Amino acid sequence: MRAPDGAEVRATIPEECAGLRLDQALARLFPQFSRSRLQAWLKEGNLRVDGASPEAKRAVRGGEAVTLAPPRDAGESPLAQSMPLAVVHEDAEILVIDKPAGLVVHPGAGNPDHTLMNALLAHAPALSNVPRAGIVHRLDKDTSGLLVVAKTIAAQTSLVRQLQDRTMGRTYTALAWGTVRAARGIIDAPIGRDVRSRTRMAVTDRGKAARTEYEVLERLPGATLLACKLESGRTHQIRVHLQSIGHPLVGDPVYRRGARSQAIERFERQALHAARLELVHPRTKRPRQWEAPLPEDFRRLLKGFRNAKAA
């Protein structure tokens, strides 16, 4: 997101940033500016959070209102980089993208460019005037599937409200290790930063409320294909919740360690795909829904497990 020099911009810290230092969360919210610059603006009063200028090291809870009035010499902005985008739907208010696995959603440490945000700015340059280039929710780098982008601030406000009210439907296809016995169920367990590793999330009493509904789609030798519906949107939620009940995602490099099977020798990511997206269109107020088929690597993975069953 790039504001005209000196113009005030308002944004909201995503709930997925809960537990991060304020300056880390702000760096995600405004990736076109360095963290040191954001820290300086906090001290100078150019950047205010819930009407105040707190210390950069303070932890955020998610949902805080941020107001940024960058000086006229701010200058920095994310690059617009022409990259292939699988556009499922586009109109004057929203974009729905089928994100491939391996694509980072927005710039950050280790990924300064060639992200979805860079591609969006090339596809629709006016997104430079919308906070976070219109991105209202994210998918992990190695999760594929549907993601909605707001093309106007009004649309972004509507979509963020739907996320906060839990009225936006997001259903994932997931392949988990082991046999999930119950045909369907709900995992209701708070998620927060893992005290042993700040790069991981965990089920913890100190976390924020999180609920995941699941339904068994198919039982395979050594694994179960699930449909998982989010009632909240915590970082790594499905990955952490399934691990917590003893069924981590196939291929997950963070929440699963140990044995691999022949069926996943060429599968280099967690088996998670955002398959269905439901929302109320910000302008028409009518319900809309989209579905994205499983990508080729996921289909090959399932074929490997099914072939093992046939053998």
Side-chain angles (χ1 to χ4, degrees):
M1 182 265 295
R2 185 182 189 279
D5 289 345
E8 183 176 277
V9 177
R10 297 178 184 274
T12 301
I13 293 178
E15 289 192 359
E16 68 198 39
C17 291
L20 293 179
R21 283 172 49 118
L22 174 59
D23 55 354
Q24 292 174 322
L26 292 172
R28 293 190 181 188
L29 197 61
F30 303 106
Q32 68 270 42
F33 301 121
S34 67
R35 193 186 301 183
S36 60
R37 177 164 290 193
L38 293 168
Q39 290 169 342
W41 287 345
L42 273 173
K43 293 179 180 179
E44 295 164 5
N46 297 95
L47 221 172
R48 300 181 70 79
V49 181
D50 286 341
S53 295
E55 292 186 358
K57 64 182 180 182
R58 192 198 74 178
V60 300
R61 65 182 186 280
E64 292 94 334
V66 177
T67 303
L68 170 62
R72 292 190 174 276
D73 63 350
E76 299 177 36
S77 63
L79 296 172
Q81 295 173 312
S82 182
M83 297 164 55
L85 278 179
V87 179
V88 176
H89 171 83
E90 182 172 12
D91 57 40
E93 284 75 32
I94 63 173
L95 264 167
V96 178
I97 303 295
D98 186 358
K99 186 190 85 68
L103 179 62
V104 175
V105 170
H106 50 67
N111 297 284
D113 54 21
H114 289 92
T115 68
L116 176 63
M117 179 180 283
N118 300 110
L120 287 170
L121 291 170
H123 177 82
L127 286 172
S128 62
N129 297 316
V130 183
R132 302 179 79 225
I135 296 170
V136 296
H137 66 112
R138 57 168 293 193
L139 296 176
D140 293 336
K141 173 185 176 182
D142 289 325
T143 296
S144 56
L146 296 173
L147 183 147
V148 65
V149 175
K151 296 179 70 176
T152 67
I153 292 178
Q156 189 176 53
T157 300
S158 172
L159 295 174
V160 169
R161 184 174 295 119
Q162 291 180 54
L163 282 169
Q164 293 174 340
D165 294 344
R166 302 181 181 179
T167 56
M168 183 183 293
R170 292 170 291 163
T171 304
Y172 293 71
T173 301
L175 186 64
W177 284 111
T179 301
V180 179
R181 299 294 179 185
R184 57 180 53 84
I186 296 176
I187 307 170
D188 190 345
I191 292 176
R193 292 283 162 184
D194 190 330
V195 295
R196 297 165 298 180
S197 173
R198 297 295 293 173
T199 61
R200 291 166 53 101
M201 308 299 288
V203 169
T204 169
D205 291 340
R206 295 180 297 277
K208 302 192 76 170
R211 283 169 59 94
T212 303
E213 295 183 17
Y214 69 84
E215 179 181 356
V216 172
L217 300 177
E218 183 179 1
R219 292 188 177 95
L220 297 161
T224 305
L225 188 66
L226 302 167
C228 297
K229 187 170 184 178
L230 294 180
E231 291 189 18
S232 50
R234 309 305 175 202
T235 300
H236 299 176
Q237 178 171 321
I238 293 173
R239 299 165 67 184
V240 172
H241 269 171
L242 289 178
Q243 182 208 37
S244 75
I245 63 169
H247 297 286
L249 288 177
V250 169
D252 195 322
V254 176
Y255 299 102
R256 165 74 186 193
R257 300 183 187 276
R260 294 175 63 87
S261 74
Q262 187 175 359
I264 66 165
E265 284 181 355
R266 295 183 178 86
F267 197 74
E268 302 294 335
R269 65 181 180 100
Q270 65 266 8
L272 188 62
H273 174 70
R276 184 181 178 91
L277 177 67
E278 302 168 76
L279 54 84
V280 174
H281 191 279
R283 178 177 56 82
T284 67
K285 309 305 179 186
R286 294 179 179 176
R288 295 294 309 270
Q289 61 186 41
W290 298 270
E291 294 186 3
L294 289 175
E296 178 60 27
D297 66 338
F298 207 135
R299 293 198 300 270
R300 286 197 306 268
L301 177 67
L302 290 178
K303 183 178 180 180
F305 276 95
R306 288 168 181 151
N307 286 343
K309 182 177 183 179

